[in-house]
Amino acid sequence: MLVLKFGGTSMGTVESIGQSVATIIKAKAKKDDLVVVVSAMSGVTNSLLKATDHAINGDTDKMKKTLEDIRKKHHEAAKELVTDHTFFRDCVSYIDEKIDAMIYYMSEVSSSGELSAKSHDIIVSTGERLSARLLSCTLNSQDVKSSYVNMNKVIPTELTLETNAYWDEVVKIFKKKLTPEVKNNIPVVTGYFGPNPGGILEAVGRGYSDFCAALCGSALKAKEIEIWTDVDGIMSANPKVAKGAKVLEHITFTEAGELSHFGAKVLHPRSIRPALKADIPIRILNTFNPEAPGTVISGKPKTQSCYPFKSITSKEGITVIRICSLRMLLVHGFLAKLFEIFARHEVSVDLVSTAEASLSVTVDQPTSKLRKLIKDLEEIGTIHVMENKAIISVVGEEMSGENYIQGQIMSTLSDNKVKIEMTSVDSSLMNVSVVVDGAKVDKSVKLLHDMFLTHCK
Ligand code: ADP
Ligand code: ASP
Ligand code: MG
């Protein structure tokens, strides 16, 4: 059993769906049972969010125009892809039903000015409903038996993401829903699943269909979870930023967790836990170059290579909060009190760096969303806030025990006039993170990547 997940880039055009995606599915189906998970067609989730903004701002004309564009995009795709008349009619009436419902729904939002998390999820999920139905009808009209599986109402509302009950329960629900579908049929599953407490974008974030694929894999004990995208695998840096970035043959779950959490959007960080727990490898593959072996993420130990680390990643829109307090000196329990304030405001902290009388943390929210937190922090010390920063993370288990690489990272940046605002290295030395000004992020990634490449010359 394999799970194949196709991202928005793979579901981008008629050609990519009809030629690349459908061909990969047909080839894989010859050897294995499959579950296919899809994102919305490229750009559709953004358009749905834009239409929602128009509705909230009372601009119903722009809202309707944006939704009509989505209808047109799917109609045109169905016309080309769904050649069987019965499946074509089914597909088009489904598209119309969903877009009409969205127009009605958003008109209500516009007049009431209210939008609950649940309603927002119904809007967001529309992209995956349309793409999954489209792909399922495309396969059926090519004589590949397929079913459309909507994961919109599968999660009981009392479950919250961070609890153990969530994991056990969700895996059971996915198993029950998918097992009957896999026999003699290829289920095409909406990458959206829910409802989620606070809404999927709040609970999971963009790129949630990677997480859905990992949950499917874990539920059905898949041999592998394949994430099909537009690059040959996880690379030594984002290839859109660093020229000459290399594809990594293998990385561990821990390395993938660090990279994805710190900005490598090629995989959603939530995908790691279900795969790790069930010990299922994740493979990142290129829909537009299916022969390439891709990158395998597994629990196996590191592979040998001449490079000093695996990959460099960056995360922008970071705020650094520095707390200075003489009360910290020689007092136990101070940090517990400090982090309790962050927990109370539900603000999660990425990096931490401490001296005896001051401590700096990074959070990925702008100051405008942190006012209440900062007010409470001011009760325990003097607060300095720095906005528009970026975290650059250098990740790789081979760095452990190799102190010189840390030194090289710092000197490469400072020799090139990139000011380091903060650093954070844990004792395993597998993630060296530095905070730099947001305007210097691409320059920093390029500099560190050049250093990476020179190690193998
Ligand atoms: P999909 O639509 O398939 O979900 P995404 O856009 O979410 O695709 O993720 C793929 C993109 O991730 C690539 O096009 C690439 O620009 C970006 N990316 C960022 N960091 C890395 C990295 N280290 N290796 C590979 N790709 C990366
Ligand atoms: N379509 C969603 C998004 O753009 C989910 C995904 O791509 O995985 O975030
Ligand atoms: Mg993605």
Side-chain angles (χ1 to χ4, degrees):
M1 221 298 294
L2 287 177
V3 175
L4 314 184
K5 180 256 162 175
F6 294 93
T9 46
S10 307
M11 297 294 290
T13 61
V14 166
E15 291 72 37
S16 62
I17 300 173
Q19 287 159 27
S20 311
V21 173
T23 307
I24 292 165
I25 293 172
K26 283 191 262 180
K28 295 272 172 182
K30 285 187 186 144
K31 293 193 197 135
D32 286 288
D33 285 341
L34 304 180
V35 168
V36 174
V37 178
V38 288
S39 291
M41 285 181 82
S42 174
V44 169
T45 307
N46 285 342
S47 297
L48 288 165
L49 295 174
K50 213 187 280 162
T52 313
D53 285 344
H54 292 319
I56 291 169
N57 296 331
D59 196 339
T60 46
D61 286 348
K62 279 197 185 146
M63 174 270 282
K64 281 184 192 152
K65 162 90 177 65
T66 311
L67 291 174
E68 288 303 342
D69 286 347
I70 298 176
R71 188 197 309 262
K72 192 164 165 237
K73 185 181 176 100
H74 288 84
H75 272 186
E76 282 173 4
K79 233 175 265 165
E80 295 288 325
L81 293 167
V82 188
T83 45
D84 177 279
H85 190 61
T86 312
F87 286 110
F88 174 72
R89 278 218 323 260
D90 169 74
C91 189
V92 168
S93 68
Y94 188 81
I95 295 165
D96 286 340
E97 186 194 312
K98 291 300 156 219
I99 297 293
D100 291 346
M102 275 303 105
I103 293 174
Y104 176 78
Y105 216 72
M106 288 199 197
S107 302
E108 292 282 296
V109 169
S110 195
S111 49
S112 70
E114 278 173 24
L115 180 63
S116 68
K118 215 166 163 189
S119 309
H120 198 253
D121 263 27
I122 292 172
I123 294 170
V124 172
S125 68
T126 302
E128 277 77 27
R129 295 193 213 204
L130 297 177
S131 62
R133 188 71 163 228
L134 174 68
L135 181 59
S136 177
C137 289
T138 302
L139 292 172
N140 276 313
S141 57
Q142 295 183 14
D143 292 326
V144 178
K145 213 170 149 238
S146 162
S147 59
Y148 161 66
V149 182
N150 181 355
M151 298 298 246
N152 274 253
K153 288 187 187 151
V154 296
I155 315 274
T157 42
E158 68 278 7
L159 283 181
T160 38
L161 203 56
E162 306 301 340
T163 59
N164 280 337
Y166 179 91
W167 299 98
D168 298 343
E169 215 29 56
V170 166
V171 163
K172 263 192 236 156
I173 294 164
F174 272 54
K175 187 173 175 190
K176 196 164 161 216
K177 179 112 182 146
L178 296 173
T179 305
E181 301 287 342
V182 182
K183 291 179 189 146
N184 306 317
N185 190 30
I186 301 178
V188 181
V189 178
T190 58
Y192 170 91
F193 61 97
N196 287 273
I200 198 151
L201 298 187
E202 188 66 29
V204 182
R206 297 296 299 268
Y208 47 80
S209 53
D210 294 336
F211 183 33
C212 182
L215 290 168
C216 293
S218 163
L220 297 176
K221 303 217 174 341
K223 200 162 66 179
E224 223 170 57
I225 298 157
E226 298 187 350
I227 305 289
W228 289 85
T229 182
D230 64 346
V231 280
D232 278 350
I234 296 188
M235 304 176 83
S236 51
N238 184 350
K240 288 181 185 131
V241 177
K243 275 202 190 109
K246 305 267 179 246
V247 179
L248 307 169
E249 203 180 305
H250 171 261
I251 63 172
T252 62
F253 284 124
T254 317
E255 289 169 330
E258 295 289 328
L259 285 172
S260 56
H261 180 77
F262 286 105
K265 95 184 239 265
V266 60
L267 184 69
H268 193 287
R270 291 246 182 226
S271 330
I272 309 291
R273 183 169 160 174
L276 172 68
K277 223 167 155 232
D279 196 21
I280 301 168
I282 300 177
R283 191 184 289 269
I284 311 292
L285 291 153
N286 190 348
T287 302
F288 309 100
N289 184 18
E291 300 307 321
T295 301
V296 179
I297 306 167
S298 74
K300 297 213 183 80
K302 66 187 180 189
T303 43
Q304 288 295 323
S305 120
C306 57
Y307 294 112
F309 47 79
K310 293 274 174 18
S311 186
I312 307 155
T313 186
S314 60
K315 194 169 173 180
E316 292 174 67
I318 297 295
T319 302
V320 177
I321 304 175
R322 192 164 80 228
I323 301 110
C324 299
S325 175
L326 287 177
R327 274 188 271 165
M328 243 190 267
L329 285 171
L330 303 173
V331 171
H332 55 77
F334 185 88
L335 291 182
K337 209 159 143 193
L338 178 76
F339 285 116
E340 188 279 320
I341 299 175
F342 280 91
R344 194 165 3 110
H345 288 274
E346 296 181 359
V347 174
S348 95
V349 166
D350 277 333
L351 302 181
V352 182
S353 184
T354 70
E356 183 54 32
S358 78
L359 175 136
S360 299
V361 300
T362 65
V363 299
D364 63 0
Q365 292 180 32
T367 330
S368 54
K369 291 200 172 165
L370 300 169
R371 300 216 191 283
K372 287 185 186 154
L373 165 83
I374 291 168
K375 200 159 171 276
D376 281 358
L377 289 174
E378 278 166 348
E379 301 279 314
I380 59 167
T382 311
I383 309 300
H384 301 271
V385 178
M386 293 186 276
E387 264 196 307
N388 298 324
K389 301 295 167 196
I391 299 173
I392 311 281
S393 300
V394 178
V395 172
E397 289 183 7
E398 47 278 83
M399 285 195 294
S400 24
E402 302 281 4
N403 269 333
Y404 77 97
I405 299 165
Q406 262 189 80
Q408 280 187 355
I409 293 168
M410 306 302 165
S411 58
T412 302
L413 293 176
S414 54
D415 289 353
N416 288 281
K417 301 198 170 25
V418 178
K419 186 176 171 224
I420 299 170
E421 311 276 2
M422 179 181 158
T423 61
S424 173
V425 187
D426 85 321
S427 64
S428 76
L429 286 177
M430 60 98 57
N431 177 344
V432 178
S433 286
V434 296
V435 176
V436 301
D437 198 74
K440 297 277 172 76
V441 63
D442 283 0
K443 175 180 176 179
S444 308
V445 170
K446 280 183 203 145
L447 283 166
L448 294 175
H449 195 258
D450 284 349
M451 179 190 111
F452 169 91
L453 292 177
T454 53
H455 270 261
C456 280
K457 274 184 183 158

